[in-house]
Amino acid sequence: MPPTVAILGASTDRHKFGNKAVRTYLRRGWAVYPINPRGGEIEGVICYRSLADIPVRINRVLLYLPPAVGLTLLPAIAAAKPDEFYVNPGAESDELLAEAQRLGLDPICACAIVAIGERPDADED
């Protein structure tokens, strides 16, 4: 089974990093689980409304949301017990990182697209 990734802040807008991450991880062979409260479909993949709705264990969680929103999702991320938790540029704040640590998460503050060997602007439209 391929590694699994949940993308909090996944978007249908192909110019947003939440969409670029979906495309990049799919291209790299990951099982991708986009998350957006609107649900629906993103890049041909079922979009879940919450992390708790995903029916499999998640290896990696990516956060592409403003820090105030991300902060409210930390308990659900901690409950999912991912192997890795990426806080992408723009999603971080001192408060979010401190709370993530308090909940037992070890946040990685880096671009999750670069982390798998791709460039975020590689497939610009």
Side-chain angles (χ1 to χ4, degrees):
M1 181 170 164
T4 56
V5 61
I7 303 173
L8 292 160
S11 173
T12 57
D13 182 340
R14 292 178 62 85
H15 295 98
K16 291 192 172 189
F17 288 102
N19 181 281
K20 292 177 183 193
V22 170
R23 288 182 281 147
T24 301
Y25 276 78
L26 284 170
R27 190 168 48 247
R28 287 295 183 128
W30 287 63
V32 176
Y33 296 88
I35 301 173
N36 186 301
R38 293 183 187 104
E41 200 173 273
I42 296 177
E43 298 298 325
V45 178
I46 293 171
C47 184
Y48 292 85
R49 294 180 188 273
S50 75
L51 189 56
D53 293 337
I54 297 173
V56 299
R57 185 181 181 290
I58 296 298
N59 300 116
R60 183 178 283 183
V61 171
L62 314 182
L63 184 62
Y64 288 100
L65 293 165
V69 177
L71 192 59
T72 68
L73 299 174
L74 288 177
I77 296 167
K81 298 182 178 168
D83 299 326
E84 297 176 313
F85 171 46
Y86 274 80
V87 180
N88 286 273
E92 78 278 12
S93 72
D94 291 342
E95 183 181 11
L96 182 136
L97 297 175
E99 182 62 9
Q101 289 282 354
R102 190 188 74 72
L103 291 172
L105 296 165
D106 187 16
I108 301 166
C109 293
C111 176
I113 295 171
V114 172
I116 60 170
E118 299 245 355
R119 290 185 19 227
D121 61 351
D123 59 3
E124 286 292 319
D125 295 333

